[in-house]
Amino acid sequence: MTDPERSAAEMRGLLRFAQGLGLDEDTVRDTYETVGRQAAEAEVAVSQAAEI
């Protein structure tokens, strides 16, 4: 499975789960994007710290 396929599969799973909790699709998408962005920032920070 490629990264875009995996990402799409994760989003579908999250959307189904969120529907069960009563959350709307926009909230789930915003949260997914925010978490992805924060994870990327954390990875950069760890890489920079490892260089020191």
Side-chain angles (χ1 to χ4, degrees), residues 26-43:
D26 290 336
T27 300
V28 175
R29 288 186 185 278
D30 289 344
T31 302
Y32 186 80
E33 290 172 8
T34 300
V35 169
R37 191 170 41 255
Q38 290 176 349
E41 291 170 1
E43 186 176 327

Side-chain angles (χ1 to χ4, degrees), residues 38-48:
Q38 290 176 349
E41 291 170 1
E43 186 176 327
V44 168
V46 169
S47 294
Q48 289 173 344

Side-chain angles (χ1 to χ4, degrees), residues 14-30:
L14 286 172
L15 288 172
R16 276 190 238 107
F17 178 74
Q19 284 176 338
L21 297 175
L23 299 172
D24 63 271
E25 184 173 334
D26 290 336
T27 300
V28 175
R29 288 186 185 278
D30 289 344

